[in-house]
Amino acid sequence: MTQPLDIVGLCGSLRKGSLNRMALRLAGELMPPSMKLDIVDWRELPPFDADLLAAGMPAPVGALRERIARADGVLFATPEYNFGLPGMLKNAIDWVSRGADQPFAMKPVAVLSATPGPLGGARVQYELRKALQYLHAMVMVKPEVFIGMADGKFDAQGHCTDETTRKFVTEQMRAFEPWIAAVRRMGSATG
């Protein structure tokens, strides 16, 4: 039996009870059995500082870079703060991207977002996709998942009670597996 695809989950909100953490857990629950989600806690990353980098890669940054490099794919779930990326998530991406061996290059990525507002984080997804494109990450274009009015779609235990949301997330997770395979083929053809 082959090992399931190793998917790293990165939540743009550090809050344990965040809607996006709930959405990540939902994605993990709805993934095909051939995939396994590991939601990584990255809260120990320091603020990016070039002087700190010049002194050597901080251990928490090195650990996150290594974990992303080892993964078969990365799943981001992020809220939208002031029409854009949460500062701490941008900070994490900035740290991880340092060095010629930055692990987002040719890494299959999927993105979803959950917000209490009606748009479901559409603006933040485009900001995140732009940053990841610059890093040569292979971001899956469709299906897109924007979970609007998310605070009414999860119960007090964090379980999704909305069948339409469950359907959209299931479709995205089913599409992510062949996307990972396609990116691997592309890498083999160019490597």
Side-chain angles (χ1 to χ4, degrees):
M1 184 171 155
T2 61
Q3 289 282 77
L5 292 171
D6 175 30
I7 309 301
V8 165
L10 295 175
C11 185
S13 171
L14 297 175
R15 188 171 65 88
K16 287 184 182 180
S18 82
L19 293 168
N20 284 279
R21 190 165 304 279
M22 292 177 200
L24 263 181
R25 282 193 217 106
L26 174 65
E29 170 192 329
L30 299 175
M31 282 180 173
S34 55
M35 301 169 74
K36 183 173 177 11
L37 181 66
D38 176 22
I39 300 173
V40 175
D41 186 344
W42 48 270
R43 71 181 61 239
E44 292 185 18
L45 269 58
F48 181 76
D49 179 341
D51 292 333
L52 191 55
L53 177 61
M57 190 72 70
V61 175
L64 181 59
R65 291 176 94 250
E66 192 279 331
R67 183 64 187 95
I68 292 169
R70 197 173 72 234
D72 295 304
V74 178
L75 174 61
F76 283 91
T78 185
E80 180 178 301
Y81 293 171
N82 300 321
F83 282 18
L85 284 169
M88 291 299 293
L89 181 59
K90 179 66 166 70
N91 180 68
I93 292 168
D94 289 344
W95 265 120
V96 170
S97 70
R98 296 305 178 223
D101 63 341
Q102 66 89 4
F104 286 120
M106 294 301 292
K107 183 68 64 178
V109 172
V111 177
L112 59 88
S113 54
T115 65
L119 297 181
R123 292 173 292 238
V124 73
Q125 283 202 28
Y126 298 124
E127 290 295 318
L128 178 57
R129 289 169 188 269
K130 183 172 64 174
L132 293 170
Q133 179 183 2
Y134 178 77
L135 299 174
H136 302 283
M138 303 302 290
V139 183
M140 187 171 70
V141 177
K142 291 184 180 179
E144 295 178 305
V145 174
F146 307 105
I147 307 171
M149 312 303 273
D151 49 346
K153 296 179 179 175
F154 292 88
D155 65 19
Q157 291 74 42
H159 298 105
C160 182
T161 57
D162 182 69
E163 285 307 313
T164 301
T165 298
R166 295 179 69 84
K167 177 181 175 286
F168 286 139
V169 174
T170 298
E171 288 172 2
Q172 187 184 46
M173 292 302 97
R174 285 184 183 156
F176 196 26
E177 184 176 23
W179 177 247
I180 292 168
V183 171
R184 283 182 172 168
R185 285 191 303 274
M186 191 181 335
S188 296
T190 61

